[in-house]
Amino acid sequence: TTSNAEEHEDYLKLYNLGGGAAKKITIEVLLGEDKVIQKKYVNMLPSKEGYMLPINKRVFDELDDTIKNNGYESNINIKLSYYHNVSRKKQEIFLKGHIDEFNNYEDESIYELQFI
């Protein structure tokens, strides 16, 4: 998140979703462990490398509030559900959000949100 509205990124870059073998993917962005604040369905990934998930205002505001108010303990989590191309079994992964701050560049703060 940056303070310059013209340059902020309004998407999350998601990598290694099912190791390139995932299909019928449901991505839920959660507040806490059960309050869904955004849900996205992706039939097949556009590439094996990753997916850029546009975020809605609720997700953006939560990230912004987290940085401004309580440091870097985010209450945002992601739940991924998908079917594996080979095994055809449904997989489900729950990841907790963590924000790291990096060096400032031209008076702009740089943050990375990781889901672990």
Side-chain angles (χ1 to χ4, degrees):
T1 305
T2 69
S3 59
N4 184 344
E6 294 173 5
E7 294 182 11
H8 79 272
E9 295 181 347
D10 54 0
Y11 56 87
L12 299 176
K13 296 174 189 174
L14 303 175
Y15 297 101
N16 297 326
L17 298 182
K23 65 179 184 175
K24 297 180 184 175
I25 303 164
T26 302
I27 304 166
E28 292 175 301
V29 182
L30 307 169
L31 201 51
E33 294 193 11
D34 55 6
K35 182 179 180 189
V36 178
I37 56 175
Q38 181 171 339
K39 188 172 186 175
K40 175 74 173 160
Y41 177 78
V42 182
N43 188 41
M44 295 285 287
L45 287 179
S47 78
K48 288 187 275 185
E49 298 302 315
Y51 177 71
M52 290 176 29
L53 173 70
I55 57 173
N56 64 22
K57 184 167 176 19
R58 288 186 295 177
V59 175
F60 182 85
D61 288 346
E62 177 61 27
L63 291 172
D64 198 39
D65 288 347
T66 297
I67 290 167
K68 287 178 184 170
N69 297 325
N70 67 347
Y72 310 108
E73 291 300 318
S74 170
N75 200 25
I76 287 188
N77 301 305
I78 280 192
K79 183 170 137 186
L80 299 170
S81 304
Y82 63 91
Y83 288 88
H84 194 275
N85 267 344
V86 178
S87 70
R88 310 251 190 261
K89 291 183 180 176
K90 185 175 182 178
Q91 308 287 322
E92 195 170 279
I93 302 169
F94 185 85
L95 304 166
K96 293 190 169 279
H98 180 77
I99 299 174
D100 288 317
E101 182 178 21
F102 292 90
N103 292 335
N104 289 353
Y105 177 72
E106 294 180 1
D107 296 324
E108 296 290 335
S109 294
I110 309 256
Y111 300 95
E112 180 183 47
L113 171 63
Q114 295 184 78
F115 292 99
I116 302 169

